[in-house]
Amino acid sequence: MVTASAPGKVYLFGEHAVVYGEPAVPCAVERRATVTVEERTDARLRVDARDLEIEGFTVEYGAATDELGVEVPTELLEAATEYVDGAVEQARDACDEPDAGFDVTVESEIPLGAGLGSSAAVVVATIAATAAELGVELDPREVADRAYQVELAVQDGQASRADTFCSAMGGAVRVEGDDCRTLDAPDLPFVIGFDGGSGDTGKLVAGVRDLRERYEFAADTVTAIGDVVRRGETVLTADDPSLDELGRLMDFDHGLLEALGVSSRSLDEMVWTAREAGAYGAKLTGAGGGGCIVALDDSPATETALSYSQSCEAVFRAALARDGVVVS
Ligand code: PMV
């Protein structure tokens, strides 16, 4: 039996624009998905995902037929089984063991579909744990690449490498198309506000694509996000990064995302609550439409203000996760 964990992430800068080849800088945060895998004596796959912040469920199905042992709603299946199934398939392929069967238990501290990279963390941890159970320790870069292939397949070709690379490597990373690098960045005082909801990534990405095709100024807005990211990564990797400047750039990024129609009233309200509490800056993180914001504040003020905000269902601090995927 092997357990692996992998962190979620926030976008410091660059979501949406990354889809059009601009760079993005996601940062792994200390909220992890933990996956335990035990090889079975048959070729079946049994997935137990009790703690995905959705109702618990267990499904059992044959690896060859994908036949479900029990009936569960499609939404939940997509949330867990498709990703886990794809991840197990990648591990079987990496280890040249196409017929291996497993019991997989998934636990996660990362809200689903809220811009914190929950699916990427589950996929990354599942690939690493399954391969390790078969006696193969995969390089984190290979785990990242295989996890990206899973996301691409499950999300109908709509995925950037940002979430999966960040979760596998940990720390702050820079992703531009297929070019993925780790950045040397200090810990940052992240405060995350969650409105309890989630956005539909596919729809939000399609909305930006439409705007970009229709209006030249929308295409310029996407390019401007890329400019913010390039400036932001220079500030982040400087000897003593200015939180003032990082915050200002986060505010700017949020404004551009808002203009592209991917914010929401509750996200904007949380962003303004954070700014008024004295945060260095605040922005939505991930696809938007609902879910999470990330603010920078080294005082308790933002956390306190968000905890009193009607738009905010949960608020927490999250340190930069130095470790990406960890097999134990
Ligand atoms: O909400 P998340 O964490 O899945 O982030 C989506 C980020 C986008 O840039 C909108 C899409 C992508 O695949 O990069």
Side-chain angles (χ1 to χ4, degrees):
M1 189 166 78
V2 174
T3 297
S5 74
K9 60 102 218 337
V10 293
Y11 272 95
L12 191 56
F13 306 114
E15 53 272 89
H16 284 285
V18 72
V19 175
Y20 309 98
E22 298 291 346
V25 176
C27 295
V29 293
E30 273 310 340
R31 280 243 149 177
R32 305 181 79 88
T34 303
V35 177
T36 301
V37 177
E38 185 162 18
E39 193 174 359
R40 294 170 62 105
T41 50
D42 57 24
R44 293 170 78 81
L45 177 60
R46 183 174 182 276
V47 181
D48 184 347
R50 244 174 256 169
D51 188 25
L52 281 177
E53 305 213 355
I54 48 178
E55 281 167 52
F57 70 99
T58 304
V59 289
E60 185 167 342
Y61 54 111
T65 58
D66 271 14
E67 214 175 83
L68 291 172
V70 292
E71 241 183 75
V72 290
T74 324
E75 206 182 307
L76 297 191
L77 270 182
E78 225 187 72
T81 15
E82 274 196 61
Y83 286 109
V84 174
D85 191 24
V88 167
E89 208 44 58
Q90 284 290 337
R92 285 184 181 126
D93 180 63
C95 303
D96 213 10
E97 296 251 22
D99 299 321
F102 304 93
D103 287 335
V104 178
T105 306
V106 181
E107 292 163 281
S108 176
E109 310 164 335
I110 312 164
L112 279 178
L116 296 183
S118 55
S119 57
V122 168
V123 171
V124 163
T126 304
I127 293 174
T130 309
E133 175 70 358
L134 292 173
V136 177
E137 181 125 357
L138 295 177
D139 180 81
R141 283 182 185 268
E142 178 171 357
V143 174
D145 188 56
R146 288 184 176 276
Y148 168 65
Q149 304 304 332
V150 174
E151 289 222 322
L152 208 55
V154 177
Q155 294 165 202
D156 297 326
Q158 298 214 52
S160 72
R161 290 182 179 271
D163 284 26
T164 39
F165 185 72
C166 187
S167 183
M169 305 304 288
V173 306
R174 178 194 201 274
V175 173
E176 184 172 1
D178 289 337
D179 181 30
C180 301
R181 299 161 192 224
T182 55
L183 295 177
D184 198 4
D187 196 8
L188 293 170
F190 292 126
V191 179
I192 295 169
F194 177 37
D195 69 5
S198 61
D200 181 333
T201 303
K203 262 196 198 143
L204 291 152
V205 169
V208 173
R209 176 165 295 129
D210 282 352
L211 281 178
R212 197 172 157 269
E213 280 164 11
R214 192 172 314 186
Y215 304 113
E216 211 178 314
F217 50 78
D220 291 344
T221 305
V222 170
T223 312
I225 292 178
D227 293 338
V228 171
V229 179
R230 280 180 279 273
R231 181 66 166 257
E233 69 177 293
T234 313
V235 178
L236 183 66
T237 53
D239 276 347
D240 189 12
S242 159
L243 294 180
D244 271 324
E245 179 70 359
L246 284 177
R248 195 172 303 125
L249 294 170
M250 288 167 74
D251 285 343
F252 211 112
D253 196 352
H254 182 78
L256 296 169
L257 290 165
E258 216 275 316
L260 291 172
V262 298
S263 192
S264 70
R265 182 180 284 270
S266 56
L267 293 174
D268 285 343
E269 275 171 12
M270 289 193 291
V271 161
W272 276 105
T273 300
R275 289 175 183 164
E276 283 170 3
Y280 292 103
K283 62 182 279 295
L284 67 83
T285 171
C292 289
I293 65 140
V294 55
L296 288 188
D297 189 356
D298 38 22
S299 85
T302 296
E303 217 180 330
T304 308
L306 282 171
S307 71
Y308 287 111
S309 159
Q310 285 214 333
S311 310
C312 183
E313 194 157 288
V315 55
F316 52 93
R317 278 197 171 277
L320 188 72
R322 295 280 167 201
D323 290 331
V325 61
V326 175
V327 178
S328 52

